[in-house]
Amino acid sequence: MALLELQDIHTYYGAIHALKGISIHVDEGEIVTLIGANGAGKSTTLNTICGLQHPRSGSVTLKGESIQHLPAHEIVTRGVAQAPEGRRVFGRLNVTENLEMGAFVRVDKDGIKRDMERVFTLFPRLKERAKQVAGTLSGGEQQMLAIGRALMASPRLLLLDEPSMGLAPILVEAIFDTITEINAQGTTVLLVEQNALIALSVASRGYVMETGSIRLADTAEALRNNEMVRRVYLGET
Amino acid sequence: MLRRLLRRVSGTTVFMWLIGIAMLVVVVWGVYATLSSGRYKASDWIDLTVYGIAQGSVYALIALGYTLVYGILRMINFAHSEVFMSGPFIGYFVAMALSQSGFFNRQPFVSLIIVLLVAMTVSTTIAVLLERIAYRPLRRAPRLVPLITAIGASYFLQYTFLGLFGSGIKGYPEVAQLKGYWPFPGTSSGILRTQAVVIVSAFVMLAILYVFVQRTKTGKAMQAVSEDKDAAALMGIDVDRIIVITFVVGGALAGAAGVLYALLFKQVKFDMGFLPGIKAFTAAVLGGIGNVNGAMLGSLFLGISESLFPNLVLDGLGLPAPYQLKDALAFIMLVAVLIFRPTGILGERLAVKKA
Ligand SMILES: Nc1ncnc2c1ncn2[C@@H]1O[C@H](COP(=O)(O)OP(=O)(O)OP(=O)(O)O)[C@@H](O)[C@H]1O
Ligand SMILES: [Mg+2]
C-alpha cells in the first residue's frame, strides 16, 4: 500500500479550477518529485495534502485512511509536515522557538530534544544562531530553518515546496545533500521544484504537472531522458 | 544637495512638522510657566504621578485586549470596552449581595477576590461569545465588515445592560481598610491605599500575562498565529483554538481592569466602558498596536501624561478649568501619533528588519 495516495483530486479557489483531477502516489521511503512551470498547481497539490485547501472531489489517503476532510492541524498529527514555499518562518520568534513550534503536537520531551539535536547536526549554521530572531536570518538560513522546523514534527512524510528558491548554487547543492540524508534516515519525501535538473537527480520517481493536470509520470531516470522534459524543464535544445 | 532634499519634502510634510513644533513649543512654555510659578510642591507631583500610574496600569490591562486581538485577527475589537464594563457591572450585584449579608464588611478582601473572579468570568464569557457569534462567521469577509460588526456589538451590549439594569450610577460598597493613605516612611507624603492596591494588582497581572505570552508554549503559538496563520496550522496549531484563547485572555484582563476601575472610582454605569476603552485603544496605538510591551508602555505613558498634563501644562498657560480638558489629551495624542508615527512607539520595527 502506498504511504500517500491522491485519487482524482479537484481543488478550486473560488471559480478557479486549480487542480483538475490529480492522481499521484508516494511509497514509503521514496523521494518523489513534482515539477512543472509557474502556476501549474504544485503548491496547491501540497496544500491539498496538508489540509490548507480542501478538494471539492477526490480522495487523499495516508496509509489507506482518507484525510481530505481533516483540518490542517490534525493532519500534522498523522505524520505529514510541510516546509512551505517562501519559507514562512516565524520572524519574531528565535531559531529555537521556531523549532519548538515545529514540534507543537508532540509531548515526548526526550524525542523533541533528540530531534532538535538532529536538526542542529544536519544544519550546524542553525545551532550557531539558536537564539537569533528568525526574521534576521539570511534566506538560506531561513530555508534550513523551514526544513528543520518541519522535521521537528518527526514526520513520516515530508513535503518540501521549492527548497532551492532564491539560493546560491552552492547552497542549493548543500540543501539537496541534506534532503538525501534526511531520506536515508527514513523519512519519505515529496519534493516540489522549479529546478528540475537537481530534483530529478535526487528523486527516484517524478511527476510533471501542467496547468492543473499530471502530464507525465515516470522514473526520474526516464524523465531526465524524456525529450519534452529536456526541452521545456531542463532548458536543452 | 539642498535642492534634492527640498524635492523630497512636500508641502504637507512641512505643514505637519510646523504643527508638531508648535505643539511642542506650547507644551514647553506651559511647563516652564507652571514650574516657575512655584504653585505646586514636589509632593503634589508625586501624588499626580502615582495617580497616573494607577490609571495607566488599568489602561494597560484593557489595552492588552485590543492589542492581542489585533495581533491575531488584524481587527479592532471595538466591543472590548463593553467586555470591560460587563464584568464589574455584574460584579456590582455580587458585591451588593455580599455587603447586605454583612460578609463584605467582615471579609473585605475575600469579598473583593470573589467579585474579581465573577467579573473576570463574566467579561471572558462575553468576549468568547462575541468571537463565536459576531466575528468568527466573518473571518473571511473584507476587513471593514468585522469592524462595523464590532461597533454594532458594542452598542448592542451597552443597550442590553441599559435595558436590563437601568441608566443609573451604581455605587460599589466601600472597603473601610482601603480608606486613607499609607505614608511613605520618613516623608510627609504617602500613597492612597486604593491606588496602591490597584497598581500592585495590575502589575502582578501584567507580569503573569507577559510570562504567558513570552514563555509558554501556548503563548508562543499565539505569536506564531499572529504572524502567519497558515504556517501555524502547518505546525499542528489549532488556529481557532488560539483565537478563542486570545479572547479569553483579553476578556479576563478586561474584567479585572473593570474591578480595579470600580475600586478607583467606586461606581459602575452602562456606558462606563467608553472613555477607558477608547483611551486604552489610544494607548495601544501609541505603543504600536499588536505589540504587547508597547501596549503596557503606551498605557503607563498615557496614564501619567493625562494625570500631569492639566496641572503641568494647561495651568501654566493660564487656561481656566484645566481638568475639563484632561480627556481631550488622549485624543490629541492619538491624532498626533497617527500623523507623526503611525506605527506607534514600538510598532513593527522588526517587520522592517524582516524584509
Ligand atoms: N489563494 C489563491 N487564490 C486564487 N487562486 C490561486 C491561489 N493560489 C493559487 N492560485 C492559482 O492556482 C493556480 C496554481 O497555483 P500554485 O500556487 O499551486 O502553482 P505552483 O505550481 O505552485 O506555481 P509556482 O511554481 O509559481 O509556485 C495558479 O493559477 C494560481 O494563480
Ligand atoms: Mg508554488
Side-chain angles (χ1 to χ4, degrees):
Chain A
M1 187 198 305
L3 175 59
L4 173 80
E5 184 151 18
L6 275 67
Q7 265 172 351
D8 198 23
I9 288 290
H10 289 262
T11 299
Y12 290 75
Y13 293 106
I16 298 172
H17 195 173
L19 299 184
K20 304 166 185 162
I22 298 284
S23 299
I24 63 174
H25 69 96
V26 179
D27 291 326
E28 192 95 49
E30 281 190 300
I31 299 184
V32 174
T33 185
L34 200 58
I35 57 180
N38 290 111
K42 306 180 296 294
S43 300
T44 307
T45 305
L46 293 193
N47 289 339
T48 304
I49 296 167
C50 285
L52 287 179
Q53 297 296 331
H54 293 284
R56 194 170 288 180
S57 65
S59 69
V60 180
T61 52
L62 196 67
K63 284 249 163 183
E65 265 183 84
S66 67
I67 58 167
Q68 73 270 18
H69 301 300
L70 296 179
H73 63 91
E74 281 182 28
I75 290 176
V76 182
T77 63
R78 310 256 170 147
V80 181
Q82 185 188 169
E85 185 173 11
R87 295 136 201 176
R88 315 264 295 254
V89 296
F90 301 115
R92 276 178 293 216
L93 299 182
N94 68 31
V95 168
T96 310
E97 289 168 330
N98 267 276
L99 294 176
E100 285 167 8
M101 286 296 108
F104 188 80
V105 297
R106 296 173 61 184
V107 286
D108 54 325
K109 281 220 166 76
D110 293 339
I112 294 174
K113 218 170 147 195
R114 223 174 314 118
D115 278 337
M116 181 106 51
E117 280 313 312
R118 175 184 172 212
V119 170
F120 283 148
T121 315
L122 287 169
F123 302 111
R125 288 273 276 277
L126 292 182
K127 186 164 195 172
E128 294 161 25
R129 290 166 171 73
K131 293 286 166 242
Q132 188 172 327
V133 169
T136 62
L137 295 175
S138 78
E141 289 158 358
Q142 288 190 7
Q143 187 61 62
M144 296 174 197
L145 181 56
I147 297 174
R149 191 180 62 174
L151 282 177
M152 289 302 293
S154 186
R156 220 191 281 161
L157 174 64
L158 176 64
L159 310 179
L160 299 171
D161 198 344
E162 303 203 22
S164 75
M165 191 168 58
L167 302 188
I170 182 147
L171 207 51
V172 172
E173 226 165 276
I175 293 261
F176 274 81
D177 284 346
T178 311
I179 292 171
T180 316
E181 197 177 334
I182 291 165
N183 177 250
Q185 290 171 4
T187 308
T188 308
V189 177
L190 176 56
L191 171 68
V192 161
E193 258 301 336
Q194 290 271 347
N195 187 338
L197 185 63
I198 192 151
L200 289 173
S201 72
V202 299
S204 57
R205 288 189 303 116
Y207 295 92
V208 179
M209 278 191 87
E210 247 175 47
T211 57
S213 312
I214 300 291
R215 172 78 187 272
L216 285 171
D218 215 328
T219 62
E221 170 88 49
L223 287 176
R224 265 201 309 271
N225 295 320
N226 181 291
E227 205 249 326
M228 191 275 284
V229 173
R230 292 177 81 105
R231 190 159 33 81
V232 179
Y233 299 104
L234 300 179
E236 293 175 16
T237 45
Chain B
M1 259 308 266
L2 192 64
R3 197 177 296 164
R4 208 184 306 157
L5 191 73
L6 279 178
R7 218 180 300 142
R8 247 192 296 154
V9 178
S10 74
T12 24
T13 324
V14 172
F15 183 67
M16 282 309 166
W17 278 105
L18 285 179
I19 291 184
I21 291 166
M23 276 159 66
L24 202 66
V25 167
V26 169
V27 168
V28 171
W29 181 29
V31 171
Y32 175 75
T34 306
L35 291 183
S36 58
S37 77
R39 211 171 309 156
Y40 298 99
K41 302 189 302 290
S43 68
D44 294 328
W45 296 124
I46 294 176
D47 286 350
L48 286 172
T49 308
V50 170
Y51 176 70
I53 294 173
Q55 185 78 276
S57 58
V58 173
Y59 292 159
L61 292 173
I62 310 171
L64 282 168
Y66 284 106
T67 235
L68 290 173
V69 167
Y70 181 86
I72 288 207
L73 294 180
R74 297 291 181 275
M75 90 172 253
I76 309 291
N77 177 13
F78 276 118
H80 192 58
S81 48
E82 276 55 56
V83 171
F84 161 81
M85 170 274 286
S86 59
F89 205 107
I90 301 299
Y92 159 81
F93 294 107
V94 177
M96 286 322 279
L98 289 170
S99 169
Q100 267 152 21
S101 72
F103 185 80
F104 200 96
N105 285 326
R106 264 178 286 131
Q107 293 284 348
F109 289 102
V110 176
S111 303
L112 275 182
I113 290 186
I114 294 174
V115 172
L116 183 73
L117 291 179
V118 169
M120 289 170 82
T121 310
V122 170
S123 290
T124 302
T125 310
I126 301 258
V128 170
L129 287 176
L130 266 176
E131 193 276 330
R132 191 70 196 81
I133 298 169
Y135 304 148
R136 195 180 296 183
L138 302 172
R139 195 79 57 71
R140 289 180 195 281
R143 285 173 65 166
L144 199 56
V145 176
L147 204 69
I148 294 168
T149 307
I151 295 171
S154 168
Y155 278 104
F156 172 80
L157 287 168
Q158 264 193 41
Y159 283 86
T160 304
F161 275 78
L162 173 66
L164 287 176
F165 307 116
S167 63
I169 291 175
K170 308 203 179 326
Y172 254 63
E174 292 222 37
V175 183
Q177 285 85 340
L178 291 184
K179 278 187 192 148
Y181 282 84
W182 274 312
F184 292 137
T187 60
S188 60
S189 59
I191 181 168
L192 272 176
R193 292 181 180 187
T194 40
Q195 291 181 6
V197 168
V198 166
I199 292 173
V200 170
S201 334
F203 274 74
V204 167
M205 283 184 268
L206 293 175
I208 293 172
L209 181 278
Y210 183 84
V211 171
F212 173 72
V213 172
Q214 302 289 336
R215 297 270 178 273
T216 67
K217 192 167 153 185
T218 308
K220 287 176 191 172
M222 280 169 75
Q223 296 184 56
V225 170
S226 98
E227 275 199 50
D228 189 334
K229 286 193 192 50
D230 281 349
L234 286 179
M235 303 298 108
I237 296 169
D238 182 348
V239 173
D240 277 341
R241 195 174 138 259
I242 294 294
I243 291 173
V244 171
I245 291 174
T246 306
F247 276 84
V248 166
V249 171
L253 291 177
V259 172
L260 298 183
Y261 196 80
L263 267 185
L264 281 179
F265 298 101
K266 316 227 166 18
Q267 61 186 40
V268 292
K269 194 164 177 278
F270 76 100
D271 63 357
M272 69 181 273
F274 178 73
L275 267 185
I278 201 127
K279 285 180 185 169
F281 168 67
T282 302
V285 173
L286 208 62
I289 188 114
N291 183 312
V292 168
N293 297 341
M296 296 189 195
L297 286 179
S299 298
L300 287 175
F301 182 72
L302 180 65
I304 294 170
S305 327
E306 228 183 24
S307 171
L308 291 178
F309 181 74
N311 299 68
L312 191 57
V313 181
L314 297 180
D315 216 6
L317 296 174
L319 285 176
Y323 294 99
Q324 311 273 326
L325 287 169
K326 185 178 149 183
D327 292 335
L329 176 70
F331 304 109
I332 296 173
M333 278 187 166
L334 180 59
V335 173
V337 171
L338 290 177
I339 291 173
F340 294 107
R341 197 173 159 79
T343 54
I345 305 169
L346 301 182
E348 296 295 307
R349 237 183 265 159
L350 273 169
V352 179
K353 258 195 231 158
K354 209 166 121 185

